[in-house]
Amino acid sequence: MTSLLDLAPGAARAALEAWLAHRGDPAYRLAQLLPRLWRRPVRRWADATDLPAALRQALDAEWPLPSLTLEVRQTSRDGTEKMLWRLPDGEAIESVLIPEGSRRTLCISSQAGCPLRCAFCATGTMGLKRNLAAWEIAGQVRELLLGPEPVKPTNVVFMGMGEPLLNWPAVATALTLLNHPDALGIGARHITVSTVGILPSLAELAKRPEQFRLALSLHAPTSALRLTIMPIEKRYRLPDVLEAVGAFRRRVTFEYVLIAGVNDREEDLAELARIAKSAGAMVNLLPLHPGGAPGLVPASQRRLASFAAGLRRRGVEAVARRSRGLDIAAACGQLRVMRGDAGGEVPPEPHGDVHEPVRVGERSHHPDA
Ligand code: SAH
């Protein structure tokens, strides 16, 4: 049976309306039920004590509300919080909450595991377990609203486990649930989809009327170099991805993990500047999370800064970020891997998507800023 939490607001309303009518319940109940899905959520209908007990029982029997089970919650010295959620079928996913001034950015997962196997990423080592349902994606925010100490994220980024554009139907619904005023009500400009550039779904995302932000995980400025660290390059070539990104009417961010000796050379800098300029993109430079794939070494903090400066000199907006939550393995994919849950004897290896800007004397132009 479909869960109400898997439906966009209009469809959930229609389903409940029909159900209430069938039971002979008054229509005004609808206005009491709908906010309990997302806006003022309850874990069980039994907790919605403004409703008659018999109705609550019937709802819990016929429209049970699924939930994620919090298995681990860790807080970093820098305030970053990492959650490991257990799903109903035993799979595990992670979210990371990153406070920064008045912003609370939640990094969410779109798949359990990931099939892409990027050379530098921890999640890739476990392969794809399965796609998440829409409720499991948006549910990562819903669970935070439920408490014990309720938190409402101001920003959401799809930079946790998985490739969102390989799970498009569920992600499409989850985007609606995150953004819709009758659901979680987070502004589209505060929601960032991060992708390696899956062309068919990228075209679908571009068709959405909401102003969702797009981050492209670039990591190499040429197709040949990208091929050495991102197997997806065989399927969707960089020139085509850049063309698709160009057709996106909105400002795009390039994500670029700086790996010493691999993609941090002067020629890489020049080429990155060239393509960022022609795409009108800003660049987020990310330090490779330490303990990464064997043989891959993070570029130094100095190189990160000089790379950013080189981009700016060439007229490209660039932000050098620094890692957050290192002491709690806050990089997505890391916690599940460390708990021996990865489906193999993989080393604890980070998946660095937990970054904050290093203030380098200029305003941050990060999409979440
Ligand atoms: N599959 C999507 C979203 C998940 S990855 C994507 O690729 O965009 C989120 C971001 O974290 C991506 O930019 C990814 O390349 C980056 N990332 C992965 N492993 C990393 C590591 N070890 N260090 C730093 N960033 C990493």
Side-chain angles (χ1 to χ4, degrees):
M1 190 186 70
T2 323
S3 158
L4 288 171
L5 298 182
D6 254 334
L7 302 176
R13 164 182 287 270
L16 275 176
E17 200 165 20
W19 183 78
L20 286 169
H22 182 72
R23 281 173 47 90
D25 278 328
Y28 68 78
R29 292 284 178 220
L30 192 58
Q32 291 178 301
L33 301 189
L34 286 173
R36 297 315 198 160
L37 297 180
W38 297 101
R39 278 178 40 208
R40 289 185 297 118
V42 282
R43 210 173 291 277
R44 279 170 239 69
W45 289 107
D47 299 340
T49 48
D50 51 334
L51 301 172
L55 178 59
R56 285 186 265 151
Q57 264 172 25
L59 283 162
D60 271 324
E62 296 188 44
W63 298 106
L65 298 171
S67 57
L68 309 174
T69 307
L70 183 62
E71 192 158 294
V72 184
R73 182 171 193 151
Q74 290 179 320
T75 306
S76 159
R77 263 174 276 120
D78 65 20
T80 303
E81 281 190 81
K82 168 120 184 169
M83 277 80 54
L84 181 75
W85 307 104
R86 189 63 63 181
L87 308 179
D89 67 346
E91 285 299 336
I93 54 164
E94 304 175 355
S95 333
V96 181
L97 184 67
I98 310 153
E100 205 189 335
S102 58
R103 258 193 282 157
R104 293 173 303 278
T105 301
L106 186 69
C107 174
I108 61 171
S109 298
S110 57
Q111 297 181 311
C114 182
L116 292 178
R117 300 193 184 277
C118 299
F120 43 81
C121 176
T123 303
T125 61
M126 66 183 84
L128 178 66
K129 304 296 182 179
R130 69 168 170 86
N131 278 332
L132 300 187
W135 77 265
E136 292 170 319
I137 301 172
Q140 294 164 63
V141 178
R142 190 178 194 269
E143 292 295 335
L144 294 190
L145 296 180
L146 285 168
E149 290 152 39
V151 194
K152 171 115 199 224
T154 57
N155 298 64
V156 172
V157 295
F158 282 78
M159 295 187 183
M161 299 167 86
E163 167 51 52
L165 296 191
L166 284 177
N167 184 16
W168 175 249
V171 166
T173 303
L175 284 169
T176 303
L177 292 171
L178 291 167
N179 172 244
H180 199 287
D182 290 339
L184 291 164
I186 299 169
R189 288 157 198 256
H190 293 155
I191 300 171
T192 302
V193 177
S194 180
T195 178
V196 296
I198 307 296
L199 291 178
S201 329
L202 198 55
E204 294 301 315
L205 176 63
K207 282 190 212 148
R208 292 283 299 242
E210 306 96 326
Q211 300 283 301
F212 297 121
R213 306 269 181 171
L214 178 67
L216 176 69
S217 288
L218 185 72
H219 307 315
T222 64
S223 194
L225 184 58
R226 203 166 184 251
L227 194 57
T228 66
I229 49 176
M230 296 172 70
I232 194 67
E233 183 64 28
K234 277 183 244 151
R235 181 95 189 262
Y236 300 113
R237 313 274 304 183
L238 188 55
D240 302 329
V241 171
L242 290 174
E243 196 184 312
V245 162
F248 219 74
R249 288 154 296 125
R250 287 153 254 158
R251 194 88 200 277
V252 172
T253 303
F254 287 168
E255 305 283 320
Y256 199 95
V257 174
L258 220 53
I259 310 169
V262 174
N263 63 0
D264 71 340
R265 301 161 302 177
E266 279 309 299
E267 64 203 85
D268 303 322
L269 171 58
E271 187 58 15
L272 174 59
R274 197 184 67 73
I275 63 174
K277 257 181 123 157
S278 89
M282 70 147 290
V283 178
N284 252 336
L285 291 174
L286 317 175
L288 178 73
H289 260 244
L296 293 185
V297 179
S300 68
Q301 199 59 50
R302 266 179 77 172
R303 184 56 181 144
L304 204 70
S306 74
F307 216 79
L311 287 170
R312 284 190 215 106
R313 248 197 329 274
R314 291 166 171 86
V316 174
E317 279 176 44
V319 179
R321 296 187 171 263
R322 73 180 159 84
S323 299
R324 293 277 303 256
L326 289 176
D327 54 331
I328 56 162
C332 285
Q334 217 174 351
L335 192 54
R336 178 172 164 161
V337 168
M338 286 192 5
R339 285 177 65 87
D341 224 38
E345 51 322 339
V346 274
E349 181 186 309
H351 167 157
D353 23 59
V354 188
H355 301 98
E356 73 165 10
V358 176
R359 302 287 169 203
V360 269
E362 84 164 28
R363 247 189 82 228
S364 161
H365 292 281
H366 187 256
D368 308 328

